[in-house]
Amino acid sequence: MLLRFAPYREIAHEVASRLAEGRRGRDPLSPWAEEVIVPSRGVAEAIAGELLARLPEGVAGVRLQTLEELAKRILADAGQTPRVANDLERRLAMRAAVRSVDHPMMESRGVAAMLERAYRDVRDSGVTLSDLSRRAAKARGLRSPRRTEAIVRAWSEYERLIAQLNAVDAADRLAQAARLAGPHTPPQLLAGFYDMTGAQFQLLEALLRAGRVAAIWMPTEEPFARTFANAIAPYAEVVRDLAIEIRKPRVEASQYETRLDELRDVCARVAALLADGTPARAIGIVARSLEAYDLRLLNRFAAEQGFSTTAAEEIPLPAHRVGRAATNLLRLRERGFLRAEVLELVRDGLHLRTKVDADALDAATRRARIAGGTSEELRVYRGRSRPLDDYIALVAELEELTASLDLDKLSTLIRLETEQDLAAAEKLDAIAATFRRTQVWNKGLDVSAVIDAIANESLPQGAKGAVWCGELLRFRGRSFTHLFAVRMQDDVFPQRRTEDPLLPDSDRALLGIREIGDGREEEELLLSLVHDAAANVHFSFATGDGFGKVLRRSRYLRSCPLPVAGSQHDAPPRQPATSNRQLNRQLQLLVRAGTNSPFDGYIGPLAAEPPSLSPTQLEDFGECPQKFLLKHILGVTDIDHPERELQIHHRDKGILDHRVLERFYRFAEGEALHLPLSAELAGRLEGFIDEQFEEHAAAAPPFNPTVRNIERRATKRILREFVVTDIEDLETAGLVPRHFEYRFGRKHQVPDHPEPFVLQAAGVPVRVEGTIDRIDAGDGRFRVVDYKAGQALRHKELDKKIDRGVRLQLALYAMAVAEFFQADPANVSGTIKPLVPGDTKPEKFAFVLEEKRATLLETLELFIRAILSGTFPAFPSESDDFNSCKYCPVNHSCRTRHDLDERYAVQRFKDPRTLLAGTPPR
Amino acid sequence: MNQQLSLFGTPAPPRDERANLVIEAGAGTGKTTAIVAEVLKLMLEREDLAPERVVLMTFTEKAAGEIAERIRGALEELSSMLSVVGSQLSGEHRGQPTTDNRQQIGWPVGSPNPLVVIGDPERARASIRHHLANIDALRSQTIHSFCQSILRSFPLEAGLDPQFKIVEGFERSLLYDQVYEAWLDRETRVEPVDEVVREWEVLFGYAGYLFQIRNLILTLSNRRDLLGERDYELGSFEADVLPQLEDALLWIRRDTATCKDSAAAAVAAYLRDTPFSGGTLDAWIDYLQPIAPSLRDIDFRYCGALKQPMTFLRSGNKGDSIYDRLAGHRAALALVSLTRRFLAFLDGEKHKLGVVDFDDLLLRTQAVLEDEQVLARARAQFDHIFVDEFQDTDRTQANIIRKLARDPHGRYVPGRTVVVGDPKQSIYGFRRADPETYYRMTTELRDAGAERQVLDDQYRSDAPLLETINAMFTRLFPEEEHDPNVFRPAYNVLRAARPAVRRELDARVTLLHAQHEDKTDRFFAEAEAIAEWIRRNRDGGPKDLQRFAILFRRLTILDDYLDTLRRYEIDYVLPPTRSFLDRRAPVDLVAVLRAIAYPFDKGAQISAARTPYFALTDVEIVAGLRVAEGAAPETWRAFEEAIARYRDAAQHASLTELIDLLVTTTNIEQVYDAAADGERHLAHLERVRALAFEYEQRRGGSVRQFVDEITERREEPEEMEPTLLDESQNAVRIMTVHAAKGLEFGTVILPDLSFQASGGGVQLFTVEEPRRMVLAGGPESLSANFGPGGEPLKKIAREREQAEMLRLFYVAVTRAETDVVLVFNPEEKKTGFHKAVLTLLGDPSFPDEGREVRMTEIGPVAFEKLAAARADSRVRKRLRDRERERELAGEIVPWDGAAPEPVAELLSPAAVAATRAGAKNRAAGTLLHRVLELWDGRADTEPLLRQLAAEAAADADAVSRVRKRLAVIARSPFLQRIANAETIGRELPVRFVEDGILVERRIDRLVREPDGDLVIDYKSGAPQEERVERDREQVARYCRAISAITGRPCAGALWYVGLDGDVVVGV
Ligand code: SF4
C-alpha cells in the first residue's frame, strides 16, 4: 500500500485519474473497482470535479464518502442499522444523568453541557467508558480523583438512558464497523487526511490490517500531521514526491475601516470578476469563522451586486412565527396570561374558536388598562364592550387549551401558509417525537426543557447560490482561481483554547484521551492550505466594527505584503426601486424641512374653524403648535402600556386626587377651616380617599394590589400635608373655598355656568369652555385654584410663563371668573397648588389677572391667527422649563425633536410665541 | 556577572531579586515606552521566560494592541542592531566580553539616555531570538479580557457556564429592565413579605413614583463593588444622633422658656404636650412627623434660651430638619437593602441565562480568587504582571492585582509586579476609579520594597509651554500632608526633552476674553471668540486646522459652538454626542416599523408618513384625514395602502427581512446618501439594522416587541475610543477632555471654564477615616450628615469632585504641544477651571482690542480681546450636491410612492393539508419507503421491517400499520415489475455537470429492464398537481443523466406510495 504526500490539488488529480483508469471498458453502471474515503465535502467535490473532467458525460455509483458513511454501509451490508441518538436525546439524557449523581459539582449551571463535550472527546478518542474507568482506577496524579469518579458515574447513567431509547453513540458505530471490516469490504483510497480521531482511526486500522486500503494521500508533512503519518507508516511504503512546494499564489491584503466596508467591497470585487467572465465556481470566499451577521451582510451585499453565495443563513426557530407561537403558548399559563402575549399568539396565527380582531382587542385592552390575568380575574370587565368580552372569551379558551398541552398536537394549533412554516412545524413534530420517546425516563412535561429544545433548532433561510462561501474547516480540498479570505482579525482567530475544566490536559494524558492543546499549529496549517488552494488570494480585515470597538489585525497577515487601503462604497449602486420623481420628493423633504415649508406644519388656512377651544387645548398650542394640530385637529391620542403602569395611570390619579379634594372641601364648607386640623376632618379626608380608591379598584382591579395599597397610604399622607398647608394659606390670604369643579360652557351636561366664556381674538369670536378646580373668594376678591400632581415644576414662575404664552389655562379661567362674577381684574388672581411641596416658594406659582390681561389677549390674538392660517410648527423643549414633548403622543418619532439642525433653529426663539411672532433670531 | 547599566547609571540589582516597580509617568513622558522598556529588560535577562507567562494589563483594546506591537518592534530593532554588531565582532575577537570603548546598544534607539542597555550582546541575541519566535503568546489584553480568561478556566469554582456570553449595550439594558420588572413583581405581587413591602413603602414615600425608585436602584446597582462590602457603616442612629436628640427633647421639656419664632413655639408646644419617651428610629420619625413643616421653618435666631436644642432640631439649612434627616436615613437604608436584593435576583437570572456583563467579569474573578486552590493555580500561570494606567484602577481591579501579586503567605513577591500610572490623570470617578485606591495600593507595594521611578522627560510640549505648565501645577498641586479621604497627588516638575520648538510664540497661555451683552448668550460669546481666534491664527496651509482641539467637559451645550463654526466656515470633526437611537436614521426606521406594528396608533401613522421613507407633506396628511378639503387626499390613501402591504409582508417575513424590504423598496439609502451628513445617517442605519438582527437571533421577538423594547432603551453611547478620528480631514477636533486622554494636539482651546460637574443623582462612596459608607445625592444616610467627628461626610464627595476637577484641568492643559487658550468670561461663576485660573492669575484685565502679553506668576500670559466680525448666517447645506439642492428648493414635487410586491408565496390550503397529512404518519411513511427501497420484492419482509424500525425508532403502532400496508403493496403490479427487473443500485449517487455547476443527486432505486433502464423515485402523500409537475421535472433530469452515462434510453417512474395511496406516474 502506497503513501503519497501531495497538495490537495494534486491529490484530487491523481485519485480521479486512477478511478477513471480503473473505469475504462467497464459497464458505466457497474460498481467501481475502488471507493474513496475523504475528510470533507470540499475534498469530495474537488475529486468529483477532476473525475467529470475526464468522464464529461457524468458518473454513477462512485463512492466519495466519509469514514462515518463507510461505517454505516459496512453495518447495513451486515444487516445492522443501529440508530445514533440525536442532539436533543443526548442533552436530555445527560441532564437526567446529572440529576441522578449527588456531587456538589453537579449543581453548577452548564455542567450537563460540559459533561457532554468531555464525553464526546472520550468517545472520539476511541476509548469506551469501561476502558476509561479501568484506566482512572489505575492512574496516579489525577487532579481530583473524587470528581473524576463522579463524572464516570454520570456518564454510565447517561449511557444506560441512551441504551433505553435503543440508540447508540456515533463512536459505537465506528467501533462496530471496525469489527466487521474484512476481506469482503471494497478496496478504499484514503485521500486528504492529515489527522483523525482515535475512533475513526480504529476503523482505518481495521481496513489496513485487512489489506483493504489501496493507497493513501496526505496533504502535508507538518509536525501536527506527524502523529497520523507515524500511525500509518507501518502499513505503507512511503513514496515521497519532491517536497510539497505549496505553489506561491499572488497574495494581496487590504485594510478597511469597518467590517461593513470590507464585506461590501469584497462583494463588489467578486461581481467585477463575474462580470468579466470568471465562472462562479472559480471564486470562493472563506473566513476562519463566520458569525451569523457576517453571513447576513455577505448575502445582502451579494444580492445588491446581483450574485448569490452558497452560505446558507439560518433563522432560530423561536424567531419564526410558528416557533414563537409555540414558545409563547408553552409559557402563557405560568406567566399569568399577560395581555401582550395573548394578543401576540392571535397575531402569530394560533387556530382559535373565538374569531377576534387582534388590533381592536389591543386598543380596547390598553384603554381599559388591562395588564393581564385569567378570565376569572377579568370578570369585572364583562359586559362593558364587545372587544373586552371577546378578549375575556379568548383568555378563557386559552386557559382551556393550556390546561394540558399535548406536545404532539403543538404544530397543529398554528396556521401554516409557507414552505418555511411547514419546515417549522416539522421541527416541532420532531421535538415532540423525541420527548415522547424519552418519556420512559423523562417523566412529565418540563416546559423549560421544551422551550430550550425549540431555541436550539433553526430553519434554513434564503436560496443557495453559486459562489462558494464558508468557513476554513469546510474549505479543505477546494481550489479556486480567486479566493477572498475575509475577517482576518485576531478576535476571529481564538488565541488560546481554554482547558476542559472536567478533564484537564494533565488528566487526559494519563487517561489516553486527546488533549485540547492550543490549536495553534492547526490554524497555521489551515492558512497554508489557503495559500495552496488558489491562484490569487485576497486577504482583508477591518480595524473597527463600525460602532467604536477596535479590531486587531490577525498575526497570520504578518507574512503578507503591506495592506493597501480598500476602497469605500457608501450607498449601494442599484437603480432606485421607485420612480425618480419619488426620490426627488424624498430629497425635497431633506431640503425644505425646517424652512417653514409644508413639511413643517405650515398647511395653509383650515376650511373649518375649530368649534370651541378649551384652555388646556390652547395651552397645548402655547407649548407646541404641532402638538395642538396632532391632538386637537387630527385626533391623535396617547397609546398606553398597561404592563408598565403598576401605579394608577397619571391621568386617573389626577382625577382621583381632584375628586377627594372636591368632596373634602364641599364637606368642610360649613365649618371655618383652621389649624390644627380636627381629628374628625382628618378622618373624613382619609374616608374619602379610601372610597375613591375602592371605586377605582371596582372599575379596574389593580394587577399589583400591594403597590396599590402603598400608593393609597402615600396618598393619605400627601393629601393630609397638602390640606394642612392649604388651610394655613387660606387663613393668611383671608379666603374661603367657594366653588368646586366649576363647569362653564355648553359641553357639560350640568354646567355651573351654561354659557361659554367668549372673547374676541383676530376678529373671530373664541368660545372658551372648561372646568375650574376651585374658586376661593373673600371680601370681593376671587382666586382660581388648579391642583397639580407632584411638585409641578413645569408651572414654576407661572406669571413669566403666562407672558411667554406657554401657560394660558389658569389665566383664561381667571378672565372667565372676572366676567361671570363681574369682578375687577385687580381683585382676581390665580395660583397652581402642587400636591407635593417642593422647595419652590408658593408665590412663584401665582399671578394677578390685572398684570397679565394685556399680554394674554395679545398672545391669544397671535395664537388664533396662527391657527386660522394653518401655521403649526413643532417646538421641541425637554428642559424643566415647560417640557412640551414630555406628554406628547408622538415624542418617540417626531422629526423636529430628533433633527439637531431643525431643533436648534427653532429653539433659538425660546418659545412658540416668539417663533410665531416672527421676531428674527439673533 | 557583567554589570548592566540601569536608568540612573547605578548598577542594576543582581538578577534574581529584582524589586517590584511603581512608575509615575507624568503626561507626555512616554508611559508606554516605559512599560515596553521594562518588558524588554525582563526578556533580555531571562531568555528561558515563556512570553505567555507575562501579563500586560491595559485600559483599552487599542492600547493592548499598541504595546504588543511596540515590544515586537523593539525586539526586531535590537536584533537587527545586534546582527550588525555581530558581524563586526566576528571580524575581530569572538566570545570576549565587550570592552567599554565599543559603541553601546540601547533602546529606544538613538535616544540620548536609553532606558535599556545591552550588556552582553551574545546572550542578548539568543534571548531576543527566543522571545521573537513566540512573541504572539504575550498576553497583552484589557483587564476585562484577562478576567474572562481566568473565569473560563475555572468555571465550576466561579459557578459559571464555561461558554458564558458577555452581554453589553442595548442587550444589557434590555436584560436589566426585564429582570427588574420580574423582581419587583415577585417582591410585591407574587410573594409579598411584610418587612420587604415596608421597605418599598418607605422608598415610595421618599421618591413619590415607581419609575423614580427604578432609576435610584438601577443607578445604585452600578456600585455593586461597594454594596458587596459589609464592613462599612452607613451611619448609626443610636450612636451618632439619638443622644443629642434626647438631650434636645429633655432640654425643651424642662426649660419652659417661650420663643418669639412662631414655628419654634409650635414645636415646643407639641413636644411638651405630646407624651413620648423615645424609642426606635421609626418611633421617632412617627413622633416628629406631624410637626415636620414647623421644624423646617424654625428660625433659631428668635428662639431665646432654646436656641441650642432648636438649632439641632432644624439641623441643616432652611427647609431641612432633623425629621428629614431621619426619614432620609430610613429611605437610604431601604434603598441599599432593596438594591442588594435586586442584585442577588439579577445574579440568579444571569446564572440561568449563562450571561455576564463587564462588571461581573471583575467581581466574579475577585470572588473566585478567594478560593486558595484556584488562587494558587492562577498565580502559577504567570510570573510577571505589568499594569498600565494604574490611576484608573478601581477597588475590584486593585484587589485582583493585589491577590495575584502576593505569595501564599500574603507577602508581595519581589520582581513580579510593575504598575505604571500618573495619579494626576485619575479622572474616571464616574467609572468607580478612585485615586485613594491608587495611593493605598502603591504605598503597600513600596512598603513591601517596591522601587519608585519617576519619569520627568516630557516629549510633547515645547519647552516654554512646559515651563508655564510646571509653574501652573506646582501651585495647583502643592506638596501637603496626606489626607486619607481625599488623595491630592503632589506635582513633580517635568523636563522638556524635545530640543526643537515647534512654533515661536510670545506667550504659551492665552486668556481669550468672551463676554456678551445679553447674559443668556454666553456660549455664543465664547463660540464667536474662539471662531475669530482660529480664523486669525490659522496659517492657511492645507492642514492648518488640524492642530486646533476644543476640549469640552459637557457636550450638551455644543449647538451654539457648532452653529458659529459653520458660520465662520471652519470645518470640525465631532464624536457621537447623543445615544445613536435618538439620531435621524434609527428614529425614522422605528417610526415606520411602529406604524406597521400598530395600525390603531394614528400618531404612529402620521409620524411614519412624515419620515423620508414616504415624505408626505402635512397638507397631504391633513387632507387625507379629511379635515381640510382642497389638497388631494389620495396621497394619504396611497400611503396607507403601502403600509398595509408592508403589514401583510410582516406576517411571513422575519424582522430582518421586513427591514430589508423596507430599505430596498423605499430607497432610503439613496436618500440618506444624498444628504449633507449622509455618511453618519448611513452608519446609524447600519447600526440599528445590526441591532434588529441581534435582537431577532437572541430574543426572537416580533416587530411589535422590537418596537416596544427599542423605544424604552435609550442606551447612552459608550465612550468611543479616540482612535476613530479621521486623520485626513483638515478640521478642528472637538471632543471631551476624557476622550482626549492619550492624544495630543498643537493648540488646546478650553471653553465653558466655570462648568463644575456635580455628582448628579444618587452617589455611594466610602471614606477610610472614619471608616464609613456614605449615600448622598438621593436619600442621604446619616453618615452623610453626622460624621462621628460631627462634620458631615457628604462634603468629602464635593472635595473629591474639586480634586478631580483640578486633575481634569491638568489632563486638558497637558494635551497641548505648543499653546493653550483659556476662553475667559469675567462675569462667570467662580467655579470649575475658572476658579483654578483665578487662583493662578487673580482677576485679569484685558486690553480694549488685540493681544497684550504680561509677565505673571506662571510666566508670560497673553490677554486677548477680539471684536467678533459678524459673519453672515450661511444657510445650512442640506444635500451634498448644492446644484440639486437649488433645483429642489422650489415647488413640491407630486407624490409618486409605490407599494411593495408581496414577499412570500403562500401555499394553497390544499397543498398544506396534503403535506401535513403525510406528516401525521411521518414515521410510518418513512419506514415504508425504507423497506421498499431495500426489499428485493420476494424475500420475507419481516426481518427487514424489524431492522429498519429500530433504525427509525418507529413505535409499535407505526410498525404494525407498515406491516399491513406491505401485505397489500406486495401484490401491486408496479412492485412485481421492480421485483422482476434487475436492480442496478439503491440510493445510487449520481454526479454530473449542469450548466456549469457540478451537481450530486441520489437515485432511490435504478433497475434494468430488457428495453432500457428505469429510475424509480419514492414519493409520500397523494400526487398534488402543484407537486407532480416539479417531481416529474426532477426525475426527468435523473433519466437524462443516466442515459448520458450509459448511452442507453432511460425511463423514470414516480411511485406515490404511502399508507393510503399507491399511484405511479411515468416520466
Ligand atoms: S414631540 Fe415635541 S416638538 Fe414634536 S410635536 Fe410633540 S411636543 Fe411638538
Side-chain angles (χ1 to χ4, degrees), chain A residues 109 296 300 417 579 585 588 601 647 706 713 904, chain B residues 188 201 210 352 560 618 620 652 660 686 891 896:
Chain A
R109 166 122 194 3
R296 178 90 288 275
R300 191 176 116 210
E417 284 167 338
S579 69
R585 161 62 84 92
Q588 254 186 336
Q647 280 180 256
T706 315
R713 287 193 291 275
Y904 179 68
Chain B
T188 54
E201 180 144 16
L210 278 179
K352 276 196 219 123
D560 287 346
D618 295 332
E620 285 160 345
H652 299 292
D660 289 352
E686 283 298 342
E891 199 43 44
D896 187 21

mmCIF file of all heavy atoms in Angstrom, chain A residues 109 296 300 417 579 585 588 601 647 706 713 904, chain B residues 188 201 210 352 560 618 620 652 660 686 891 896:
data_model
loop_
_atom_site.group_PDB
_atom_site.id
_atom_site.type_symbol
_atom_site.label_atom_id
_atom_site.label_comp_id
_atom_site.label_asym_id
_atom_site.label_seq_id
_atom_site.Cartn_x
_atom_site.Cartn_y
_atom_site.Cartn_z
ATOM 1 N N ARG A 109 -24.312 25.475 36.905
ATOM 2 C CA ARG A 109 -25.001 25.603 35.603
ATOM 3 C C ARG A 109 -24.064 25.186 34.486
ATOM 4 O O ARG A 109 -22.865 25.353 34.572
ATOM 5 C CB ARG A 109 -25.380 27.093 35.402
ATOM 6 C CG ARG A 109 -25.793 27.451 33.984
ATOM 7 C CD ARG A 109 -27.097 28.020 33.852
ATOM 8 N NE ARG A 109 -27.780 28.155 32.582
ATOM 9 C CZ ARG A 109 -27.425 27.766 31.393
ATOM 10 N NH1 ARG A 109 -26.258 27.206 31.200
ATOM 11 N NH2 ARG A 109 -28.172 27.914 30.336
ATOM 12 N N ARG A 296 -25.249 37.412 6.970
ATOM 13 C CA ARG A 296 -26.338 38.332 6.591
ATOM 14 C C ARG A 296 -25.763 39.433 5.703
ATOM 15 O O ARG A 296 -26.287 39.712 4.614
ATOM 16 C CB ARG A 296 -26.936 38.938 7.874
ATOM 17 C CG ARG A 296 -28.049 39.954 7.669
ATOM 18 C CD ARG A 296 -29.441 39.345 7.625
ATOM 19 N NE ARG A 296 -29.728 38.606 6.424
ATOM 20 C CZ ARG A 296 -30.177 39.175 5.274
ATOM 21 N NH1 ARG A 296 -30.321 40.468 5.205
ATOM 22 N NH2 ARG A 296 -30.435 38.436 4.233
ATOM 23 N N ARG A 300 -26.452 40.023 1.718
ATOM 24 C CA ARG A 300 -27.146 41.274 1.355
ATOM 25 C C ARG A 300 -26.353 42.029 0.285
ATOM 26 O O ARG A 300 -26.889 42.415 -0.760
ATOM 27 C CB ARG A 300 -27.301 42.131 2.620
ATOM 28 C CG ARG A 300 -28.234 43.332 2.430
ATOM 29 C CD ARG A 300 -28.420 44.072 3.745
ATOM 30 N NE ARG A 300 -27.873 45.421 3.656
ATOM 31 C CZ ARG A 300 -27.369 46.084 4.704
ATOM 32 N NH1 ARG A 300 -27.284 45.501 5.881
ATOM 33 N NH2 ARG A 300 -26.924 47.329 4.570
ATOM 34 N N GLU A 417 -48.678 28.542 6.317
ATOM 35 C CA GLU A 417 -49.007 29.101 4.991
ATOM 36 C C GLU A 417 -47.851 29.059 4.008
ATOM 37 O O GLU A 417 -48.053 29.271 2.818
ATOM 38 C CB GLU A 417 -49.457 30.576 5.161
ATOM 39 C CG GLU A 417 -50.883 30.693 5.714
ATOM 40 C CD GLU A 417 -51.175 32.136 6.167
ATOM 41 O OE1 GLU A 417 -50.196 32.862 6.428
ATOM 42 O OE2 GLU A 417 -52.357 32.492 6.263
ATOM 43 N N SER A 579 -39.777 55.573 -8.560
ATOM 44 C CA SER A 579 -39.501 56.488 -9.696
ATOM 45 C C SER A 579 -38.564 57.602 -9.237
ATOM 46 O O SER A 579 -38.418 57.859 -8.037
ATOM 47 C CB SER A 579 -40.841 57.144 -10.101
ATOM 48 O OG SER A 579 -41.215 58.022 -9.034
ATOM 49 N N ARG A 585 -38.964 63.800 -4.405
ATOM 50 C CA ARG A 585 -39.881 64.239 -3.328
ATOM 51 C C ARG A 585 -39.220 63.920 -1.979
ATOM 52 O O ARG A 585 -39.212 64.754 -1.046
ATOM 53 C CB ARG A 585 -41.216 63.479 -3.459
ATOM 54 C CG ARG A 585 -42.061 63.486 -2.194
ATOM 55 C CD ARG A 585 -42.501 64.857 -1.722
ATOM 56 N NE ARG A 585 -43.696 65.357 -2.357
ATOM 57 C CZ ARG A 585 -44.928 65.173 -1.853
ATOM 58 N NH1 ARG A 585 -45.112 64.467 -0.749
ATOM 59 N NH2 ARG A 585 -45.983 65.671 -2.462
ATOM 60 N N GLN A 588 -36.646 66.376 -1.336
ATOM 61 C CA GLN A 588 -37.239 67.701 -1.050
ATOM 62 C C GLN A 588 -37.555 67.815 0.441
ATOM 63 O O GLN A 588 -37.423 68.885 1.035
ATOM 64 C CB GLN A 588 -38.523 67.898 -1.874
ATOM 65 C CG GLN A 588 -38.281 68.868 -3.005
ATOM 66 C CD GLN A 588 -39.575 69.189 -3.760
ATOM 67 O OE1 GLN A 588 -40.540 68.418 -3.766
ATOM 68 N NE2 GLN A 588 -39.584 70.342 -4.391
ATOM 69 N N GLY A 601 -45.620 71.705 9.108
ATOM 70 C CA GLY A 601 -46.835 72.098 9.827
ATOM 71 C C GLY A 601 -47.439 73.396 9.297
ATOM 72 O O GLY A 601 -48.407 73.911 9.871
ATOM 73 N N GLN A 647 -48.470 51.605 38.908
ATOM 74 C CA GLN A 647 -49.204 52.620 39.660
ATOM 75 C C GLN A 647 -50.444 53.020 38.849
ATOM 76 O O GLN A 647 -50.525 52.716 37.661
ATOM 77 C CB GLN A 647 -48.325 53.885 39.816
ATOM 78 C CG GLN A 647 -47.309 53.769 40.927
ATOM 79 C CD GLN A 647 -46.482 55.056 41.019
ATOM 80 O OE1 GLN A 647 -45.348 55.110 40.595
ATOM 81 N NE2 GLN A 647 -47.100 56.103 41.565
ATOM 82 N N THR A 706 -50.483 45.045 46.158
ATOM 83 C CA THR A 706 -49.540 45.541 47.180
ATOM 84 C C THR A 706 -49.112 46.966 46.846
ATOM 85 O O THR A 706 -49.138 47.862 47.694
ATOM 86 C CB THR A 706 -48.292 44.612 47.181
ATOM 87 O OG1 THR A 706 -48.734 43.271 47.144
ATOM 88 C CG2 THR A 706 -47.423 44.882 48.381
ATOM 89 N N ARG A 713 -51.736 54.530 50.893
ATOM 90 C CA ARG A 713 -51.245 55.081 52.175
ATOM 91 C C ARG A 713 -50.426 56.350 51.917
ATOM 92 O O ARG A 713 -50.529 57.353 52.614
ATOM 93 C CB ARG A 713 -50.402 54.012 52.896
ATOM 94 C CG ARG A 713 -51.251 52.870 53.493
ATOM 95 C CD ARG A 713 -50.448 52.001 54.471
ATOM 96 N NE ARG A 713 -49.405 51.195 53.804
ATOM 97 C CZ ARG A 713 -49.667 49.991 53.246
ATOM 98 N NH1 ARG A 713 -50.909 49.492 53.257
ATOM 99 N NH2 ARG A 713 -48.705 49.288 52.671
ATOM 100 N N TYR A 904 -32.430 73.011 16.615
ATOM 101 C CA TYR A 904 -31.649 74.163 17.054
ATOM 102 C C TYR A 904 -32.230 75.455 16.461
ATOM 103 O O TYR A 904 -32.386 76.456 17.165
ATOM 104 C CB TYR A 904 -30.194 73.976 16.611
ATOM 105 C CG TYR A 904 -29.305 75.125 17.005
ATOM 106 C CD1 TYR A 904 -29.026 75.356 18.351
ATOM 107 C CD2 TYR A 904 -28.799 75.989 16.042
ATOM 108 C CE1 TYR A 904 -28.231 76.428 18.729
ATOM 109 C CE2 TYR A 904 -28.003 77.047 16.417
ATOM 110 C CZ TYR A 904 -27.726 77.277 17.751
ATOM 111 O OH TYR A 904 -26.931 78.339 18.132
ATOM 112 N N THR B 188 -43.428 42.178 45.290
ATOM 113 C CA THR B 188 -44.629 42.903 45.780
ATOM 114 C C THR B 188 -45.905 42.111 45.497
ATOM 115 O O THR B 188 -46.785 42.027 46.354
ATOM 116 C CB THR B 188 -44.736 44.276 45.055
ATOM 117 O OG1 THR B 188 -44.697 44.023 43.636
ATOM 118 C CG2 THR B 188 -43.575 45.183 45.429
ATOM 119 N N GLU B 201 -42.417 50.694 50.699
ATOM 120 C CA GLU B 201 -43.276 51.827 51.084
ATOM 121 C C GLU B 201 -42.423 53.007 51.518
ATOM 122 O O GLU B 201 -42.675 54.154 51.108
ATOM 123 C CB GLU B 201 -44.205 51.377 52.222
ATOM 124 C CG GLU B 201 -45.146 52.479 52.697
ATOM 125 C CD GLU B 201 -46.519 51.914 53.095
ATOM 126 O OE1 GLU B 201 -46.607 50.683 53.288
ATOM 127 O OE2 GLU B 201 -47.468 52.707 53.172
ATOM 128 N N LEU B 210 -42.900 55.120 41.131
ATOM 129 C CA LEU B 210 -42.171 53.857 40.952
ATOM 130 C C LEU B 210 -40.997 54.043 39.992
ATOM 131 O O LEU B 210 -39.911 53.492 40.199
ATOM 132 C CB LEU B 210 -43.119 52.778 40.421
ATOM 133 C CG LEU B 210 -43.984 52.064 41.480
ATOM 134 C CD1 LEU B 210 -44.889 51.043 40.813
ATOM 135 C CD2 LEU B 210 -43.091 51.386 42.516
ATOM 136 N N LYS B 352 -28.914 31.689 35.224
ATOM 137 C CA LYS B 352 -29.785 30.796 34.417
ATOM 138 C C LYS B 352 -29.496 30.996 32.940
ATOM 139 O O LYS B 352 -29.435 30.049 32.154
ATOM 140 C CB LYS B 352 -31.263 31.138 34.702
ATOM 141 C CG LYS B 352 -31.829 30.460 35.947
ATOM 142 C CD LYS B 352 -33.391 30.515 35.930
ATOM 143 C CE LYS B 352 -33.899 30.776 37.359
ATOM 144 N NZ LYS B 352 -34.743 31.970 37.432
ATOM 145 N N ASP B 560 -24.521 75.958 20.023
ATOM 146 C CA ASP B 560 -24.101 77.340 19.686
ATOM 147 C C ASP B 560 -22.703 77.322 19.042
ATOM 148 O O ASP B 560 -22.440 78.026 18.073
ATOM 149 C CB ASP B 560 -24.066 78.203 20.963
ATOM 150 C CG ASP B 560 -25.513 78.513 21.426
ATOM 151 O OD1 ASP B 560 -26.435 78.282 20.605
ATOM 152 O OD2 ASP B 560 -25.710 78.941 22.562
ATOM 153 N N ASP B 618 -47.456 67.873 5.304
ATOM 154 C CA ASP B 618 -48.518 67.946 6.314
ATOM 155 C C ASP B 618 -49.852 68.305 5.654
ATOM 156 O O ASP B 618 -50.922 67.921 6.124
ATOM 157 C CB ASP B 618 -48.142 68.968 7.395
ATOM 158 C CG ASP B 618 -46.905 68.488 8.157
ATOM 159 O OD1 ASP B 618 -46.713 67.241 8.228
ATOM 160 O OD2 ASP B 618 -46.112 69.318 8.622
ATOM 161 N N GLU B 620 -50.857 67.160 2.763
ATOM 162 C CA GLU B 620 -51.428 65.888 2.269
ATOM 163 C C GLU B 620 -51.988 65.060 3.440
ATOM 164 O O GLU B 620 -53.013 64.407 3.336
ATOM 165 C CB GLU B 620 -50.333 65.098 1.527
ATOM 166 C CG GLU B 620 -50.031 65.669 0.130
ATOM 167 C CD GLU B 620 -48.662 65.239 -0.408
ATOM 168 O OE1 GLU B 620 -47.839 64.749 0.417
ATOM 169 O OE2 GLU B 620 -48.410 65.404 -1.616
ATOM 170 N N HIS B 652 -45.263 37.114 7.229
ATOM 171 C CA HIS B 652 -44.429 35.929 6.881
ATOM 172 C C HIS B 652 -42.958 36.273 6.773
ATOM 173 O O HIS B 652 -42.153 35.438 6.361
ATOM 174 C CB HIS B 652 -44.941 35.323 5.560
ATOM 175 C CG HIS B 652 -46.372 34.862 5.686
ATOM 176 N ND1 HIS B 652 -46.721 33.794 6.485
ATOM 177 C CD2 HIS B 652 -47.530 35.368 5.193
ATOM 178 C CE1 HIS B 652 -48.039 33.642 6.452
ATOM 179 N NE2 HIS B 652 -48.554 34.583 5.684
ATOM 180 N N ASP B 660 -35.179 44.792 5.553
ATOM 181 C CA ASP B 660 -34.512 44.792 4.224
ATOM 182 C C ASP B 660 -35.497 45.221 3.144
ATOM 183 O O ASP B 660 -35.181 46.036 2.271
ATOM 184 C CB ASP B 660 -33.969 43.387 3.901
ATOM 185 C CG ASP B 660 -32.760 43.048 4.798
ATOM 186 O OD1 ASP B 660 -32.302 43.968 5.523
ATOM 187 O OD2 ASP B 660 -32.315 41.899 4.800
ATOM 188 N N GLU B 686 -27.121 51.389 9.513
ATOM 189 C CA GLU B 686 -26.498 50.042 9.580
ATOM 190 C C GLU B 686 -26.519 49.540 11.025
ATOM 191 O O GLU B 686 -26.782 48.368 11.305
ATOM 192 C CB GLU B 686 -25.035 50.125 9.076
ATOM 193 C CG GLU B 686 -24.905 50.216 7.571
ATOM 194 C CD GLU B 686 -25.471 48.967 6.859
ATOM 195 O OE1 GLU B 686 -25.632 47.916 7.525
ATOM 196 O OE2 GLU B 686 -25.785 49.067 5.655
ATOM 197 N N GLU B 891 -41.079 74.277 -6.117
ATOM 198 C CA GLU B 891 -42.417 73.686 -5.955
ATOM 199 C C GLU B 891 -42.280 72.242 -5.436
ATOM 200 O O GLU B 891 -41.319 71.525 -5.779
ATOM 201 C CB GLU B 891 -43.120 73.667 -7.342
ATOM 202 C CG GLU B 891 -44.639 73.522 -7.267
ATOM 203 C CD GLU B 891 -45.237 74.393 -6.167
ATOM 204 O OE1 GLU B 891 -44.833 75.571 -6.042
ATOM 205 O OE2 GLU B 891 -46.020 73.850 -5.394
ATOM 206 N N ASP B 896 -45.154 60.107 -5.537
ATOM 207 C CA ASP B 896 -45.217 59.028 -6.535
ATOM 208 C C ASP B 896 -44.747 57.719 -5.906
ATOM 209 O O ASP B 896 -44.047 56.914 -6.512
ATOM 210 C CB ASP B 896 -44.313 59.424 -7.739
ATOM 211 C CG ASP B 896 -44.484 58.426 -8.886
ATOM 212 O OD1 ASP B 896 -45.534 57.738 -8.889
ATOM 213 O OD2 ASP B 896 -43.560 58.295 -9.708
#
